[in-house]
Amino acid sequence: MMKAAKINTVRIAESTWSTYEPQEGIFDFSHVERVLDAMEEAEMSVIIGTPTYAVPAWMVKSYPDVLAQTNQGRRLYGARQIMDITNPTYLFFAERIIRKLMEKTASRKYVIGFQIDNETKYYGTAGKNVQKRFVKYLRNEFHDNLEAMNRAFGLDYWSNRINAWEDFPDVRGTINGSLGAEFQKFQRSLVDEFLNWQARIVREYKRQDQFITNNFDLGWKQGSYGIQSDVNHFQASACLDIAGVDIYHPTQEHLTGEEIAFGGDLIRSLKHQNYLLIETQAQGFPEWTPYPNQLRLQAYSHLASGANSVMYWHWHSLHNGCETYWKGILSHDLQENAVYKEIKKFGTEWKQLDSHLVNLKKKNKAAILVSNEALTGLQWFRINGSLEYNDIVRWIYNCLYRWNIECDILSPDTKDFSPYEFIAVPALYAAPSQLLHRLNDYVKAGGHLLVTFKTAFTDEYLKVYSNIQPSILSECLGVSYQQFTYPQQVRLHSKLFTGTQKKEMVQEFMELLIPTTAKVLASYAHPAWKNYAAVTGNNYGKGYAVYVGCMTSNTILEQILFHVLENTNLLEEREIVQFPVIVRKGINDFGKTVQYYLNYSWEKQTVLYTHKEGMNLLTQNKVSTGTYLEIEPWDLQIIES
């Protein structure tokens, strides 16, 4: 059935350590070898996963210290990802099982790569071993200077000051956000170390033609949503040959492609190359059961972001266990069904078109800067209610996406911003001064910058800057503020806004902006706050910078973004269509432009094709400039020109 659907790769071994080592030192890889034999006979590729994210019962029984000590105490056996990834005993057994598995699999002809661990994070580990290592980390960070550390973290307050390294307390009890956030940053570094360690072991065995990857997962909000708080993907991916990702998202009436695009853009940006989609849903939860044609649309959407694979968790639905109702391609009866038949349809298409679709290269001129440290900082010091860092990131990203402006995702370590005409900086709460100066320089050199509220408020240690806010960036933004509040019946007033937007309320949070050199783009329509700006724009050097001091509706944000972008080439170069038609494009291995026209709706859509004459890859018909493309509901067109 896999062969008939043109499925050409399977992924095995990642979560069944207890099958391969049923008791300590007793090994049985007959299951893996049986699958490898079958795949070789079928000439299907295999990715081997190291089984280190789910420990066997015998290990926990004999060595209970392998379980992570977290803020909630020691973990109990049963779930996956409950171990301390720094524990020497765990690492001893993990190395042994990796080496045994590699000995059995690395030389096999159809094994094309290795996935180290699974959706790796630090799993809350914070026991004595981790605490001791954190103190060593701080001693190195502050050059053994306790006074410098106390000052950086503000530990004098409430008698939290530490006067001897030997007195360092258990950080799990801290109420100091600076210290707590630095501990989380340190914990994220444990993931980098753990994956590097596994990659080094695997490289001892793998062939040159085999790759190493990891299936990173995203922050979660009813599906894959934003960046992770428990791993810095930019740093953790350094040891990988190719980055991989698991993306799960809403379907049915809620399918927009936003999560597919955001996750893909993030993972593609890690190494600035194509990536593997290692897991997504076929059926998944009952609320995710796809409408007809949605599964095919989703699969092409991943390719349109630069994925070089689409892989499903999992082949068939389980008959018992934790994920019994996380349904696979096949249902519990293991028979052909609507999902399988749809996969068979686009599998056949891919078999015919693979050389035109693989290795899609992108050169985007827009970017969004994201930060694990800002995310962590706003977990310690919440903005308001349920508004979180990733909500602000996705507020900006989704608006650009629906306007068909493709983005790269940048880390705070990015040294050169010059390739981008436009950069958005959402809620960069924690930022070192060097980064803020680089953003100033970017605007001065001719860049276009959009910055939101809660940016440049603290340094990298969550210490609030004592100069005017937003610190340092006030230079390019031409604005400052001293007060902020939660809006109560506050509207926005601006000549930028038209129609119903003039009646829309400010949401969640607002800063009371005082322009210095900036022009007021929007002000607060409220008797108490009418003298303050809400949105400002400032010419600085050769560039232009806009500051959005409050949370607005999507429609208002669109008008603000239009204002920022109208002096760039991005508006001219984008497709003059908007959601529900999404256009994603890139250059294929033939040096030709491939444009995906994706219809995320029940309505048939008609789009004017304005580019050079091309070929519709799905129909093999020529497409001329000025032709109208008709896109059926939950369908797509792919034009190569």
Side-chain angles (χ1 to χ4, degrees), residues 528-576:
W529 315 126
K530 61 184 179 181
N531 293 326
Y532 294 100
V535 183
T536 60
N538 190 54
N539 292 302
Y540 180 72
K542 298 178 182 178
Y544 187 64
V546 167
Y547 189 70
V548 183
C550 60
M551 190 77 184
T552 73
S553 68
N554 294 332
T555 52
I556 285 179
L557 178 61
E558 285 180 2
Q559 294 300 310
I560 296 169
L561 278 169
F562 182 85
H563 172 78
V564 184
L565 296 172
E566 61 184 347
N567 292 320
T568 71
N569 294 315
L570 291 168
L571 291 181
E572 291 182 8
E573 294 175 359
R574 77 183 181 99
E575 296 287 330
I576 312 301

Side-chain angles (χ1 to χ4, degrees), residues 91-138:
L91 293 173
F92 169 81
F93 288 120
E95 178 171 355
R96 189 170 70 178
I97 195 67
I98 293 169
R99 290 187 182 278
K100 293 285 187 182
L101 182 62
M102 292 298 296
E103 288 168 3
K104 294 289 185 181
T105 62
S107 62
R108 298 293 290 257
K109 179 180 179 182
Y110 284 92
V111 172
I112 60 171
F114 301 92
Q115 174 196 302
I116 49 177
D117 205 65
N118 173 83
E119 296 183 345
T120 313
K121 295 177 282 293
Y122 61 79
Y123 315 134
T125 187
K128 289 182 179 179
N129 185 47
V130 175
Q131 301 279 342
K132 289 179 180 178
R133 290 188 56 183
F134 180 55
V135 173
K136 290 181 180 179
Y137 161 87
L138 289 177

Side-chain angles (χ1 to χ4, degrees), residues 391-410:
D391 296 325
I392 304 166
V393 171
R394 288 291 302 275
W395 177 53
I396 302 290
Y397 181 88
N398 291 357
C399 186
L400 292 169
Y401 168 82
R402 289 175 178 241
W403 267 25
N404 287 306
I405 295 176
E406 295 195 58
C407 299
D408 289 345
I409 309 296
L410 306 180

Side-chain angles (χ1 to χ4, degrees), residues 623-635:
V623 180
S624 302
T625 305
T627 301
Y628 282 95
L629 304 176
E630 292 190 343
I631 314 172
E632 297 295 328
W634 310 112
D635 203 352

Side-chain angles (χ1 to χ4, degrees), residues 351-408:
K351 184 72 173 177
Q352 297 168 345
L353 299 173
D354 60 355
S355 62
H356 297 265
L357 304 181
V358 74
N359 295 329
L360 190 72
K361 298 292 187 249
K362 294 176 179 286
K363 191 173 182 180
N364 294 327
K365 296 179 181 178
I368 297 179
L369 179 69
V370 300
S371 165
N372 294 90
E373 287 69 43
L375 186 159
T376 302
L378 290 174
Q379 289 173 337
W380 280 92
F381 300 100
R382 300 188 68 85
I383 299 173
N384 182 27
S386 60
L387 185 64
E388 297 179 346
Y389 174 78
N390 276 324
D391 296 325
I392 304 166
V393 171
R394 288 291 302 275
W395 177 53
I396 302 290
Y397 181 88
N398 291 357
C399 186
L400 292 169
Y401 168 82
R402 289 175 178 241
W403 267 25
N404 287 306
I405 295 176
E406 295 195 58
C407 299
D408 289 345

Side-chain angles (χ1 to χ4, degrees), residues 176-356:
N176 181 289
S178 295
L179 180 61
E182 191 68 16
F183 185 52
Q184 288 173 278
K185 181 180 178 181
F186 166 73
Q187 289 172 303
R188 286 192 289 270
S189 75
L190 300 177
V191 181
D192 311 341
E193 180 183 289
F194 179 65
L195 290 179
N196 265 290
W197 171 78
Q198 286 215 25
R200 286 196 302 270
I201 297 172
V202 171
R203 283 199 169 90
E204 292 181 33
Y205 297 85
K206 82 174 192 70
R207 303 188 306 266
Q208 283 236 292
D209 63 318
Q210 294 169 323
F211 59 79
I212 296 175
T213 189
N214 175 271
N215 56 329
F216 292 125
D217 64 339
L218 305 181
W220 189 266
K221 192 172 185 179
Q222 298 177 324
S224 303
Y225 187 67
I227 69 168
Q228 264 283 2
S229 62
D230 294 352
V231 55
N232 183 321
H233 289 143
F234 289 94
Q235 295 176 6
S237 62
C239 67
L240 307 177
D241 299 313
I242 183 169
V245 66
D246 296 350
I247 300 177
Y248 294 99
H249 53 84
T251 58
Q252 299 185 10
E253 299 297 326
H254 303 290
L255 178 63
T256 63
E258 290 167 354
E259 290 77 20
I260 293 173
F262 176 81
D265 287 344
L266 172 63
I267 302 302
R268 189 191 65 249
S269 297
L270 299 182
K271 301 178 81 67
H272 300 288
Q273 65 182 33
N274 298 96
Y275 61 96
L276 299 179
L277 174 72
I278 294 182
E279 287 184 23
T280 191
Q281 74 257 35
Q283 298 185 74
F285 293 136
E287 64 267 27
W288 286 349
T289 304
Y291 291 155
N293 298 322
Q294 283 191 339
L295 200 68
R296 177 171 172 267
L297 176 63
Q298 292 163 200
Y300 278 107
S301 298
H302 289 291
L303 296 191
S305 290
N308 269 356
S309 69
V310 173
M311 308 178 74
Y312 294 99
W313 182 263
H314 35 154
W315 170 234
H316 72 72
S317 304
L318 302 180
H319 296 87
N320 53 10
C322 181
E323 293 186 317
T324 298
Y325 291 102
W326 187 296
K327 294 184 70 179
I329 294 174
L330 303 185
S331 295
H332 293 100
D333 60 8
L334 311 184
Q335 303 300 307
E336 289 194 14
N337 57 24
V339 166
Y340 172 80
K341 291 175 182 177
E342 195 166 317
I343 288 176
K344 189 175 181 179
K345 177 182 178 179
F346 67 75
T348 301
E349 292 172 348
W350 289 15
K351 184 72 173 177
Q352 297 168 345
L353 299 173
D354 60 355
S355 62
H356 297 265

